[in-house]
Amino acid sequence: MRPRTVVRTLSELCVTTGTLLVLFVVYVLYWTGVRADSAMDRELSRLQDRWSSGAAATAGPSGAPVPGEQQGEPPGERPGEQPGVSPEDPGDAARPPDRPAAPSAQAAPPSRPLPGSGSGQGAPGRQQAAPARPGEAFAVMYIPRFGAGWAKPVLQGTGTELLKKGLGHYERTALPGETGNFAVAGHRRTYGDPFKDLDELRPGDAVVVGDGTTWFTYRVDARPYRTRPDDTGVIDPVPAGSGFRGPGRYLTLTTCEPEWGHSHRLIVWAHLDATSPAAQGRPGALPG
Amino acid sequence: MYGWIWRHLPGNAWVRALISLVLVLALVYVLFQYVFPWAEPLLPFNDVTVDNGTAVNK
C-alpha cells in the first residue's frame, strides 16, 4: 500500500509538470502573440483615430512646410565597403551617454552643417503635432519584405512592457526623417514575432515609416549585422560599424540574435531615401 | 493527489466532473494571467535592445 501511494504520487507529479510545461509553451509561442496582435491593433487604430481627427489640422494647411519628394540621398552617405574607416570607432562604443539626444530636434533643424551630405536642404522643417509621450505610439512602420500586411506601431521607449504592444523607439535617438539615427527595437520571437524575419532584409529593401503627416521611405544599406548586446554604438547618430561616414538621416532596427536567444543582437541599417506628404497617399515603396 | 481531490469533491460523478472542469479552467486562467507573465521575462526572448544589455551588465 505504501509504495503504491508513493509511485502514484510521483507519476501524478510528472504528469502535472509535463502539462504545466506544455501550457507554458503554448503561452509563450501562441498566447503572447494573440495578446500582442490585439494590443498592436489597438495602438494602430488609436493612431488612425488621432491622425484622422488631428491630421486635418496639421496636414491640411499649406503652411506645413513639407518638402516634396526629396529623392535620393547623395551617394557620399552610402556605406563604403570598408566600414573599418568609419570615424566612429566601434572600440569606444561604451562611451557615456553624451550623444546628442534630440529632445528639441524637431524644432531645430540640424544646427551643425552636414559635411557629408552636402545637400543644402535643411531638415524637413515639418512640425510634429506633439512629441510623443513615453509609451505612446507615434508612427507606423511598414516593411514590404515581411509581407504586404506587415504594419506595426512604433511606440516611444523601449521598456519591456512597451515592447509587448509594438516596436520601441530608443528615446534618445532621432525621430523619423530627422538628421541622426531613428533607432527602433522589436521582438524577434514571442509577442507577435514582429522582427522574426529581420535577418532576411537585404540592401535596397524598403522600410517605410508614416507619422500621420509624412511618409519616410528608408532603404536598407547592408545585410543584417550581428553584434554584442552592449554595443550601443550601433544606435549612435552615425552608427558605429554601419559604414555610414557622415551625418545623415539613418534608421536602425535592433532585435535579438539568435532567434530564440539573447547572446547577440541583430542590427539593420537604412538611410532615408525619400519623403512624401501623407496627403499624397502611400509612397511607391508600399504595395497597394 | 488527483484521487484525493476527487474523493473530497461533493456530489455524484457528474457534479464532480463539472467541478473538476471548473477547477482546471480556473487553474489555467491563473497560470496564463499571472504565473506565466511573471515567468516569461526570465526567458531570453525579451532582450532585443542594445542599451538594456549595458544596463544589465554594468
Side-chain angles (χ1 to χ4, degrees):
Chain A
M1 185 58 194
R2 195 78 199 136
R4 189 190 185 117
T5 313
V6 171
V7 169
R8 187 170 59 203
T9 306
L10 269 180
S11 326
E12 287 180 348
L13 272 179
C14 289
V15 170
T16 307
T17 310
T19 312
L20 278 180
L21 286 178
V22 168
L23 279 176
F24 186 56
V25 169
V26 169
Y27 172 83
V28 169
L29 294 193
Y30 174 73
W31 192 244
T32 59
V34 172
R35 298 289 295 270
D37 284 344
S38 73
M40 290 184 200
D41 285 346
R42 251 194 330 273
E43 294 291 340
L44 284 177
S45 60
R46 199 177 299 164
L47 265 184
Q48 296 298 347
D49 289 349
R50 179 144 40 96
W51 290 345
S52 55
S53 61
T58 50
S62 56
V66 176
E69 290 277 318
Q70 50 182 44
Q71 279 293 349
E73 295 282 306
E77 291 189 3
R78 314 231 173 208
E81 290 303 308
Q82 306 293 17
V85 204
S86 163
E88 299 275 322
D89 184 359
D92 60 7
R95 77 190 67 117
D98 62 338
R99 77 175 57 86
S104 62
Q106 70 256 27
S111 46
R112 319 167 264 179
L114 307 180
S117 78
S119 60
Q121 60 187 23
R126 54 195 198 81
Q127 308 295 323
Q128 194 126 21
R133 292 192 301 273
E136 192 180 65
F138 65 96
V140 182
M141 181 177 286
Y142 301 81
I143 302 183
R145 166 76 74 181
F146 295 169
W150 195 97
K152 304 289 177 196
V154 184
L155 280 65
Q156 180 72 309
T158 50
T160 305
E161 285 303 312
L162 184 149
L163 286 167
K164 298 177 178 178
K165 299 187 289 188
L167 308 175
H169 171 232
Y170 291 84
E171 291 188 75
R172 307 184 312 278
T173 64
L175 287 167
E178 283 182 352
T179 300
N181 192 352
F182 175 56
V184 174
H187 273 288
R188 182 90 177 267
R189 280 297 191 171
T190 72
Y191 293 104
D193 304 346
F195 279 169
K196 177 175 58 132
D197 298 326
L198 200 76
D199 56 325
E200 291 176 11
L201 284 176
R202 290 295 175 267
D205 281 354
V207 178
V208 180
V209 178
D211 71 351
T213 59
T214 314
W215 290 107
F216 304 95
T217 303
Y218 291 86
R219 293 282 172 187
V220 174
D221 281 291
R223 292 170 78 96
Y225 172 79
R226 182 185 154 109
T227 188
R228 301 182 316 276
D230 58 353
D231 187 8
T232 56
V234 299
I235 59 170
D236 278 350
V238 180
S242 64
F244 294 130
R245 314 222 169 180
R249 302 193 179 110
Y250 304 129
L251 166 97
T252 303
L253 307 177
T254 73
T255 192
C256 62
E257 164 81 9
E259 218 166 320
W260 293 102
H262 64 162
S263 62
H264 290 76
R265 299 290 181 271
L266 200 65
I267 313 293
V268 166
W269 286 295
H271 68 275
L272 187 63
D273 184 52
T275 67
S276 62
Q280 282 185 6
R282 293 156 77 88
L286 285 185
Chain B
M1 176 170 67
Y2 294 116
W4 183 89
I5 295 175
W6 181 262
R7 280 194 301 277
H8 285 74
L9 289 176
N12 60 25
W14 285 110
V15 175
R16 290 180 183 186
L18 194 67
I19 295 176
S20 307
L21 188 67
V22 170
L23 284 178
V24 167
L25 290 181
L27 181 69
V28 170
Y29 174 82
V30 169
L31 286 175
F32 272 57
Q33 198 66 26
Y34 302 105
V35 180
F36 291 162
W38 163 82
E40 195 269 345
L42 306 177
L43 293 176
F45 312 137
N46 285 300
D47 304 327
V48 296
T49 59
V50 284
D51 50 357
N52 285 3
T54 314
V56 167
N57 292 337
K58 296 196 171 175

PDB file of all heavy atoms in Angstrom, chain B residues 9-32:
ATOM      1  N   LEU B   9     -14.478  15.920  -3.460  1.00  0.00           N
ATOM      2  CA  LEU B   9     -15.476  16.762  -4.114  1.00  0.00           C
ATOM      3  C   LEU B   9     -16.865  16.267  -3.747  1.00  0.00           C
ATOM      4  O   LEU B   9     -17.085  15.067  -3.612  1.00  0.00           O
ATOM      5  CB  LEU B   9     -15.293  16.703  -5.637  1.00  0.00           C
ATOM      6  CG  LEU B   9     -14.052  17.415  -6.180  1.00  0.00           C
ATOM      7  CD1 LEU B   9     -13.933  17.193  -7.669  1.00  0.00           C
ATOM      8  CD2 LEU B   9     -14.120  18.897  -5.870  1.00  0.00           C
ATOM      9  N   PRO B  10     -17.799  17.177  -3.623  1.00  0.00           N
ATOM     10  CA  PRO B  10     -19.163  16.762  -3.259  1.00  0.00           C
ATOM     11  C   PRO B  10     -19.951  16.280  -4.477  1.00  0.00           C
ATOM     12  O   PRO B  10     -19.540  16.479  -5.614  1.00  0.00           O
ATOM     13  CB  PRO B  10     -19.760  18.043  -2.691  1.00  0.00           C
ATOM     14  CG  PRO B  10     -19.058  19.130  -3.431  1.00  0.00           C
ATOM     15  CD  PRO B  10     -17.669  18.629  -3.734  1.00  0.00           C
ATOM     16  N   GLY B  11     -21.058  15.667  -4.223  1.00  0.00           N
ATOM     17  CA  GLY B  11     -21.995  15.316  -5.280  1.00  0.00           C
ATOM     18  C   GLY B  11     -21.669  13.995  -5.939  1.00  0.00           C
ATOM     19  O   GLY B  11     -20.734  13.285  -5.569  1.00  0.00           O
ATOM     20  N   ASN B  12     -22.462  13.665  -6.967  1.00  0.00           N
ATOM     21  CA  ASN B  12     -22.227  12.423  -7.691  1.00  0.00           C
ATOM     22  C   ASN B  12     -21.153  12.649  -8.756  1.00  0.00           C
ATOM     23  O   ASN B  12     -20.543  13.714  -8.845  1.00  0.00           O
ATOM     24  CB  ASN B  12     -23.540  11.931  -8.303  1.00  0.00           C
ATOM     25  CG  ASN B  12     -24.119  12.947  -9.277  1.00  0.00           C
ATOM     26  OD1 ASN B  12     -23.384  13.752  -9.834  1.00  0.00           O
ATOM     27  ND2 ASN B  12     -25.422  12.929  -9.456  1.00  0.00           N
ATOM     28  N   ALA B  13     -20.957  11.634  -9.555  1.00  0.00           N
ATOM     29  CA  ALA B  13     -19.838  11.683 -10.504  1.00  0.00           C
ATOM     30  C   ALA B  13     -19.953  12.861 -11.468  1.00  0.00           C
ATOM     31  O   ALA B  13     -18.953  13.500 -11.804  1.00  0.00           O
ATOM     32  CB  ALA B  13     -19.775  10.363 -11.273  1.00  0.00           C
ATOM     33  N   TRP B  14     -21.189  13.147 -11.933  1.00  0.00           N
ATOM     34  CA  TRP B  14     -21.350  14.240 -12.905  1.00  0.00           C
ATOM     35  C   TRP B  14     -21.001  15.589 -12.272  1.00  0.00           C
ATOM     36  O   TRP B  14     -20.304  16.405 -12.880  1.00  0.00           O
ATOM     37  CB  TRP B  14     -22.788  14.263 -13.419  1.00  0.00           C
ATOM     38  CG  TRP B  14     -23.044  13.146 -14.389  1.00  0.00           C
ATOM     39  CD1 TRP B  14     -23.821  12.056 -14.172  1.00  0.00           C
ATOM     40  CD2 TRP B  14     -22.495  13.022 -15.706  1.00  0.00           C
ATOM     41  NE1 TRP B  14     -23.796  11.243 -15.270  1.00  0.00           N
ATOM     42  CE2 TRP B  14     -22.985  11.814 -16.236  1.00  0.00           C
ATOM     43  CE3 TRP B  14     -21.651  13.803 -16.476  1.00  0.00           C
ATOM     44  CZ2 TRP B  14     -22.664  11.373 -17.501  1.00  0.00           C
ATOM     45  CZ3 TRP B  14     -21.330  13.367 -17.742  1.00  0.00           C
ATOM     46  CH2 TRP B  14     -21.831  12.153 -18.240  1.00  0.00           C
ATOM     47  N   VAL B  15     -21.481  15.773 -11.071  1.00  0.00           N
ATOM     48  CA  VAL B  15     -21.184  17.043 -10.388  1.00  0.00           C
ATOM     49  C   VAL B  15     -19.692  17.166 -10.157  1.00  0.00           C
ATOM     50  O   VAL B  15     -19.089  18.228 -10.392  1.00  0.00           O
ATOM     51  CB  VAL B  15     -21.956  17.110  -9.052  1.00  0.00           C
ATOM     52  CG1 VAL B  15     -21.565  18.355  -8.288  1.00  0.00           C
ATOM     53  CG2 VAL B  15     -23.452  17.089  -9.316  1.00  0.00           C
ATOM     54  N   ARG B  16     -19.095  16.058  -9.744  1.00  0.00           N
ATOM     55  CA  ARG B  16     -17.653  16.104  -9.513  1.00  0.00           C
ATOM     56  C   ARG B  16     -16.893  16.423 -10.794  1.00  0.00           C
ATOM     57  O   ARG B  16     -15.930  17.196 -10.790  1.00  0.00           O
ATOM     58  CB  ARG B  16     -17.185  14.761  -8.966  1.00  0.00           C
ATOM     59  CG  ARG B  16     -17.651  14.516  -7.561  1.00  0.00           C
ATOM     60  CD  ARG B  16     -17.168  13.175  -7.087  1.00  0.00           C
ATOM     61  NE  ARG B  16     -17.665  12.871  -5.753  1.00  0.00           N
ATOM     62  CZ  ARG B  16     -17.297  11.801  -5.061  1.00  0.00           C
ATOM     63  NH1 ARG B  16     -16.453  10.947  -5.591  1.00  0.00           N
ATOM     64  NH2 ARG B  16     -17.763  11.598  -3.860  1.00  0.00           N
ATOM     65  N   ALA B  17     -17.335  15.812 -11.906  1.00  0.00           N
ATOM     66  CA  ALA B  17     -16.667  16.093 -13.173  1.00  0.00           C
ATOM     67  C   ALA B  17     -16.789  17.568 -13.534  1.00  0.00           C
ATOM     68  O   ALA B  17     -15.826  18.206 -13.984  1.00  0.00           O
ATOM     69  CB  ALA B  17     -17.276  15.221 -14.279  1.00  0.00           C
ATOM     70  N   LEU B  18     -17.972  18.118 -13.310  1.00  0.00           N
ATOM     71  CA  LEU B  18     -18.193  19.535 -13.626  1.00  0.00           C
ATOM     72  C   LEU B  18     -17.289  20.419 -12.767  1.00  0.00           C
ATOM     73  O   LEU B  18     -16.621  21.335 -13.271  1.00  0.00           O
ATOM     74  CB  LEU B  18     -19.670  19.878 -13.394  1.00  0.00           C
ATOM     75  CG  LEU B  18     -20.121  21.210 -13.990  1.00  0.00           C
ATOM     76  CD1 LEU B  18     -20.076  21.126 -15.514  1.00  0.00           C
ATOM     77  CD2 LEU B  18     -21.517  21.565 -13.511  1.00  0.00           C
ATOM     78  N   ILE B  19     -17.261  20.124 -11.477  1.00  0.00           N
ATOM     79  CA  ILE B  19     -16.425  20.923 -10.581  1.00  0.00           C
ATOM     80  C   ILE B  19     -14.954  20.803 -10.977  1.00  0.00           C
ATOM     81  O   ILE B  19     -14.206  21.777 -10.983  1.00  0.00           O
ATOM     82  CB  ILE B  19     -16.639  20.475  -9.122  1.00  0.00           C
ATOM     83  CG1 ILE B  19     -18.077  20.776  -8.704  1.00  0.00           C
ATOM     84  CG2 ILE B  19     -15.673  21.182  -8.191  1.00  0.00           C
ATOM     85  CD1 ILE B  19     -18.408  20.282  -7.312  1.00  0.00           C
ATOM     86  N   SER B  20     -14.558  19.577 -11.358  1.00  0.00           N
ATOM     87  CA  SER B  20     -13.167  19.385 -11.784  1.00  0.00           C
ATOM     88  C   SER B  20     -12.844  20.259 -12.986  1.00  0.00           C
ATOM     89  O   SER B  20     -11.791  20.899 -13.047  1.00  0.00           O
ATOM     90  CB  SER B  20     -12.923  17.925 -12.141  1.00  0.00           C
ATOM     91  OG  SER B  20     -13.329  17.091 -11.085  1.00  0.00           O
ATOM     92  N   LEU B  21     -13.771  20.266 -13.934  1.00  0.00           N
ATOM     93  CA  LEU B  21     -13.551  21.069 -15.132  1.00  0.00           C
ATOM     94  C   LEU B  21     -13.386  22.537 -14.766  1.00  0.00           C
ATOM     95  O   LEU B  21     -12.477  23.229 -15.257  1.00  0.00           O
ATOM     96  CB  LEU B  21     -14.733  20.875 -16.089  1.00  0.00           C
ATOM     97  CG  LEU B  21     -14.564  21.500 -17.470  1.00  0.00           C
ATOM     98  CD1 LEU B  21     -13.468  20.774 -18.236  1.00  0.00           C
ATOM     99  CD2 LEU B  21     -15.873  21.466 -18.235  1.00  0.00           C
ATOM    100  N   VAL B  22     -14.255  23.028 -13.896  1.00  0.00           N
ATOM    101  CA  VAL B  22     -14.170  24.424 -13.472  1.00  0.00           C
ATOM    102  C   VAL B  22     -12.832  24.690 -12.780  1.00  0.00           C
ATOM    103  O   VAL B  22     -12.168  25.700 -13.035  1.00  0.00           O
ATOM    104  CB  VAL B  22     -15.350  24.765 -12.531  1.00  0.00           C
ATOM    105  CG1 VAL B  22     -15.143  26.125 -11.896  1.00  0.00           C
ATOM    106  CG2 VAL B  22     -16.660  24.727 -13.290  1.00  0.00           C
ATOM    107  N   LEU B  23     -12.412  23.738 -11.948  1.00  0.00           N
ATOM    108  CA  LEU B  23     -11.124  23.904 -11.265  1.00  0.00           C
ATOM    109  C   LEU B  23      -9.980  23.981 -12.260  1.00  0.00           C
ATOM    110  O   LEU B  23      -9.093  24.833 -12.151  1.00  0.00           O
ATOM    111  CB  LEU B  23     -10.904  22.747 -10.286  1.00  0.00           C
ATOM    112  CG  LEU B  23     -11.695  22.815  -8.986  1.00  0.00           C
ATOM    113  CD1 LEU B  23     -11.408  21.582  -8.138  1.00  0.00           C
ATOM    114  CD2 LEU B  23     -11.328  24.067  -8.213  1.00  0.00           C
ATOM    115  N   VAL B  24     -10.023  23.092 -13.266  1.00  0.00           N
ATOM    116  CA  VAL B  24      -8.950  23.087 -14.266  1.00  0.00           C
ATOM    117  C   VAL B  24      -8.925  24.411 -15.018  1.00  0.00           C
ATOM    118  O   VAL B  24      -7.869  25.022 -15.227  1.00  0.00           O
ATOM    119  CB  VAL B  24      -9.145  21.897 -15.223  1.00  0.00           C
ATOM    120  CG1 VAL B  24      -8.243  22.051 -16.436  1.00  0.00           C
ATOM    121  CG2 VAL B  24      -8.833  20.593 -14.504  1.00  0.00           C
ATOM    122  N   LEU B  25     -10.111  24.875 -15.420  1.00  0.00           N
ATOM    123  CA  LEU B  25     -10.160  26.139 -16.164  1.00  0.00           C
ATOM    124  C   LEU B  25      -9.659  27.299 -15.307  1.00  0.00           C
ATOM    125  O   LEU B  25      -8.923  28.166 -15.789  1.00  0.00           O
ATOM    126  CB  LEU B  25     -11.596  26.406 -16.638  1.00  0.00           C
ATOM    127  CG  LEU B  25     -12.078  25.473 -17.747  1.00  0.00           C
ATOM    128  CD1 LEU B  25     -13.497  25.824 -18.162  1.00  0.00           C
ATOM    129  CD2 LEU B  25     -11.148  25.570 -18.954  1.00  0.00           C
ATOM    130  N   ALA B  26     -10.051  27.285 -14.035  1.00  0.00           N
ATOM    131  CA  ALA B  26      -9.578  28.355 -13.148  1.00  0.00           C
ATOM    132  C   ALA B  26      -8.063  28.311 -13.019  1.00  0.00           C
ATOM    133  O   ALA B  26      -7.388  29.350 -13.041  1.00  0.00           O
ATOM    134  CB  ALA B  26     -10.235  28.220 -11.775  1.00  0.00           C
ATOM    135  N   LEU B  27      -7.527  27.112 -12.935  1.00  0.00           N
ATOM    136  CA  LEU B  27      -6.076  26.972 -12.816  1.00  0.00           C
ATOM    137  C   LEU B  27      -5.380  27.518 -14.069  1.00  0.00           C
ATOM    138  O   LEU B  27      -4.397  28.260 -13.988  1.00  0.00           O
ATOM    139  CB  LEU B  27      -5.714  25.505 -12.591  1.00  0.00           C
ATOM    140  CG  LEU B  27      -4.228  25.233 -12.423  1.00  0.00           C
ATOM    141  CD1 LEU B  27      -3.750  25.821 -11.106  1.00  0.00           C
ATOM    142  CD2 LEU B  27      -3.946  23.743 -12.465  1.00  0.00           C
ATOM    143  N   VAL B  28      -5.917  27.138 -15.246  1.00  0.00           N
ATOM    144  CA  VAL B  28      -5.318  27.623 -16.488  1.00  0.00           C
ATOM    145  C   VAL B  28      -5.400  29.142 -16.556  1.00  0.00           C
ATOM    146  O   VAL B  28      -4.443  29.821 -16.973  1.00  0.00           O
ATOM    147  CB  VAL B  28      -6.029  26.972 -17.697  1.00  0.00           C
ATOM    148  CG1 VAL B  28      -5.595  27.642 -18.989  1.00  0.00           C
ATOM    149  CG2 VAL B  28      -5.714  25.489 -17.741  1.00  0.00           C
ATOM    150  N   TYR B  29      -6.508  29.695 -16.128  1.00  0.00           N
ATOM    151  CA  TYR B  29      -6.648  31.154 -16.149  1.00  0.00           C
ATOM    152  C   TYR B  29      -5.594  31.813 -15.277  1.00  0.00           C
ATOM    153  O   TYR B  29      -4.917  32.756 -15.683  1.00  0.00           O
ATOM    154  CB  TYR B  29      -8.053  31.537 -15.669  1.00  0.00           C
ATOM    155  CG  TYR B  29      -8.238  33.029 -15.533  1.00  0.00           C
ATOM    156  CD1 TYR B  29      -8.528  33.803 -16.647  1.00  0.00           C
ATOM    157  CD2 TYR B  29      -8.104  33.652 -14.299  1.00  0.00           C
ATOM    158  CE1 TYR B  29      -8.679  35.177 -16.530  1.00  0.00           C
ATOM    159  CE2 TYR B  29      -8.254  35.018 -14.168  1.00  0.00           C
ATOM    160  CZ  TYR B  29      -8.543  35.776 -15.286  1.00  0.00           C
ATOM    161  OH  TYR B  29      -8.683  37.132 -15.170  1.00  0.00           O
ATOM    162  N   VAL B  30      -5.452  31.306 -14.062  1.00  0.00           N
ATOM    163  CA  VAL B  30      -4.457  31.880 -13.152  1.00  0.00           C
ATOM    164  C   VAL B  30      -3.055  31.764 -13.740  1.00  0.00           C
ATOM    165  O   VAL B  30      -2.255  32.697 -13.694  1.00  0.00           O
ATOM    166  CB  VAL B  30      -4.535  31.189 -11.777  1.00  0.00           C
ATOM    167  CG1 VAL B  30      -3.344  31.571 -10.916  1.00  0.00           C
ATOM    168  CG2 VAL B  30      -5.825  31.575 -11.074  1.00  0.00           C
ATOM    169  N   LEU B  31      -2.778  30.611 -14.351  1.00  0.00           N
ATOM    170  CA  LEU B  31      -1.458  30.437 -14.957  1.00  0.00           C
ATOM    171  C   LEU B  31      -1.218  31.452 -16.061  1.00  0.00           C
ATOM    172  O   LEU B  31      -0.194  32.123 -16.099  1.00  0.00           O
ATOM    173  CB  LEU B  31      -1.338  29.014 -15.521  1.00  0.00           C
ATOM    174  CG  LEU B  31      -1.168  27.889 -14.507  1.00  0.00           C
ATOM    175  CD1 LEU B  31      -1.186  26.547 -15.213  1.00  0.00           C
ATOM    176  CD2 LEU B  31       0.136  28.049 -13.744  1.00  0.00           C
ATOM    177  N   PHE B  32      -2.172  31.577 -16.976  1.00  0.00           N
ATOM    178  CA  PHE B  32      -1.971  32.460 -18.129  1.00  0.00           C
ATOM    179  C   PHE B  32      -1.999  33.928 -17.727  1.00  0.00           C
ATOM    180  O   PHE B  32      -1.366  34.764 -18.348  1.00  0.00           O
ATOM    181  CB  PHE B  32      -3.052  32.187 -19.189  1.00  0.00           C
ATOM    182  CG  PHE B  32      -2.670  31.117 -20.148  1.00  0.00           C
ATOM    183  CD1 PHE B  32      -2.342  29.859 -19.695  1.00  0.00           C
ATOM    184  CD2 PHE B  32      -2.629  31.361 -21.507  1.00  0.00           C
ATOM    185  CE1 PHE B  32      -1.970  28.854 -20.568  1.00  0.00           C
ATOM    186  CE2 PHE B  32      -2.268  30.364 -22.400  1.00  0.00           C
ATOM    187  CZ  PHE B  32      -1.943  29.119 -21.931  1.00  0.00           C
TER     188      PHE B  32
END
